[in-house]
Amino acid sequence: MPLIGYARVSTEDQTPLPQSEALQTAGCVEIFEEHASGGNRARPVLARVLDRVQSGDTLVVVRIDRLARSLSHLLEVIERLEAKGAFFRSLQDPIDTASPQGKFTLQVLGAAAEFERALIRERTKAGLASARAKGRVGGNPGLRARDPVALRKVRLARKDGYMERLHETAPDWVPHVRRLRPDMAWEDVLRIINGPLPPDRHWTQSRLLRAVKAYVRDGFLSAEVLGRAGRRETDDRLPAIVAGIKGADPDITLQAICDRLESMRERTPRGRTSWQPSSVKMLLERAERLGLLGSVHQQQS
């Protein structure tokens, strides 16, 4: 049962070496180190570790606070591990979800967290009722007064939160947009982006356009990607789509392209729903004659 270690320190001045040595002594085959605040749930290394963990693996930390600073975050991480069939162990705390005792401890922690949430809800309700009885109105006074400074702070906070969420999803769509726009219509770019993604991560065209405009505004993408797509002959559409898929992954097989086209619900030149490698090969050859693959290679280089 592979053990995967995670070590975290808050600042660059601190060293995760003592944690890494303890994890190595515990038998961890891989150890990931991160410099980040424990209060920040969106840690890139932790996200990579949780994606890396597979069924049967155990995520190991020296202490619970190296993984999470709140009980809710700890339980959230453990739930993600359990959904993958993986386990969690803390070397200095009585938690090992692979053992009956560790599971019992986790259940106690879960019950305590739910009790804490219930108390907070009740205190919040009582506080709001008391404030209303005294004639006080909740909310930010600056926002109620439409104060420009307060409104600007809210807008900046919302923008920062939105950009942070976009950065997390950028690998799904930025390479495609940078490579395919404005040569390809947004509808086809969207289908290529959504092809390999699970349904719950699919993009809509309006959401994609909003994200692209935000990245253009902040300089992450060239304004050229928002240009009007040139009119393409109907017969050139499928070669362009196949060239786009091939450009995203030069090593992709013909059968994998077939699977991608079927997931995109693209029909073959003869109107069929099932694709064959020979049809894809024909379209790739055609795309090369049209210069579509050549333009992809030039953009990549």
Side-chain angles (χ1 to χ4, degrees), residues 22 30 33 90 124 126 152 158 160 167 185 198 205 243 293 296:
E30 289 183 83
E33 299 179 348
S90 174
T124 301
R152 183 173 179 274
R158 287 177 178 172
D160 290 344
H167 294 333
Q205 186 168 325
L293 285 175
V296 168

Side-chain angles (χ1 to χ4, degrees), residues 156-225:
L156 289 176
R158 287 177 178 172
K159 177 188 173 184
D160 290 344
Y162 176 63
M163 295 304 293
E164 184 175 337
R165 294 193 298 273
L166 281 189
H167 294 333
E168 293 175 359
T169 62
D172 293 339
W173 56 277
V174 169
H176 296 292
V177 171
R178 183 177 286 128
R179 188 181 64 257
L180 301 176
R181 288 290 306 165
D183 296 329
M184 186 177 289
W186 284 112
E187 294 85 353
D188 294 327
V189 174
L190 183 68
R191 292 160 77 84
I192 291 175
I193 291 173
N194 285 337
L197 298 178
D200 61 335
R201 288 171 56 191
H202 277 192
W203 291 75
T204 62
Q205 186 168 325
S206 60
R207 180 170 163 241
L208 177 62
L209 281 171
R210 182 190 175 201
V212 171
K213 289 176 181 177
Y215 260 44
V216 169
R217 181 191 63 229
D218 285 6
F220 296 114
L221 284 172
S222 168
E224 294 178 358
V225 300

Side-chain angles (χ1 to χ4, degrees), residues 67-273:
L67 178 67
R69 285 287 182 84
S70 67
L71 185 53
S72 61
H73 187 206
L74 173 64
L75 295 174
E76 176 186 323
V77 171
I78 294 177
E79 285 177 1
R80 288 186 60 181
L81 293 173
E82 288 183 335
K84 285 190 166 188
F87 306 98
F88 171 73
R89 180 188 304 171
S90 174
L91 298 180
Q92 298 183 13
D93 302 289
I95 296 183
D96 181 351
T97 60
S99 69
Q101 295 87 348
K103 289 183 178 179
F104 174 74
T105 301
L106 187 61
Q107 290 172 352
V108 173
L109 289 174
E114 180 58 34
F115 179 64
E116 181 184 15
R117 285 192 292 269
L119 288 177
I120 291 173
R121 284 195 297 269
E122 291 302 318
R123 286 198 297 266
T124 301
K125 289 179 182 178
L128 291 173
S130 175
R132 282 193 295 268
K134 296 177 181 178
R136 289 201 292 265
V137 180
N140 188 316
L143 294 181
R144 291 201 305 272
R146 309 299 295 174
D147 178 63
V149 175
L151 292 173
R152 183 173 179 274
K153 287 181 178 179
V154 170
R155 283 195 298 269
L156 289 176
R158 287 177 178 172
K159 177 188 173 184
D160 290 344
Y162 176 63
M163 295 304 293
E164 184 175 337
R165 294 193 298 273
L166 281 189
H167 294 333
E168 293 175 359
T169 62
D172 293 339
W173 56 277
V174 169
H176 296 292
V177 171
R178 183 177 286 128
R179 188 181 64 257
L180 301 176
R181 288 290 306 165
D183 296 329
M184 186 177 289
W186 284 112
E187 294 85 353
D188 294 327
V189 174
L190 183 68
R191 292 160 77 84
I192 291 175
I193 291 173
N194 285 337
L197 298 178
D200 61 335
R201 288 171 56 191
H202 277 192
W203 291 75
T204 62
Q205 186 168 325
S206 60
R207 180 170 163 241
L208 177 62
L209 281 171
R210 182 190 175 201
V212 171
K213 289 176 181 177
Y215 260 44
V216 169
R217 181 191 63 229
D218 285 6
F220 296 114
L221 284 172
S222 168
E224 294 178 358
V225 300
L226 292 173
R228 183 182 295 274
R231 187 172 290 183
R232 188 179 296 280
E233 297 294 331
T234 304
D235 291 344
D236 294 348
R237 180 176 172 276
L238 282 175
I241 291 176
V242 172
I245 296 173
K246 180 71 172 177
D249 183 3
D251 298 326
I252 193 171
T253 64
L254 294 176
Q255 184 58 54
I257 296 178
C258 290
D259 297 339
R260 184 76 61 81
L261 290 169
E262 290 176 5
S263 71
M264 293 164 58
R265 297 184 179 178
E266 284 289 347
R267 291 185 175 271
T268 69
R270 296 185 178 182
R272 297 173 181 169
T273 57

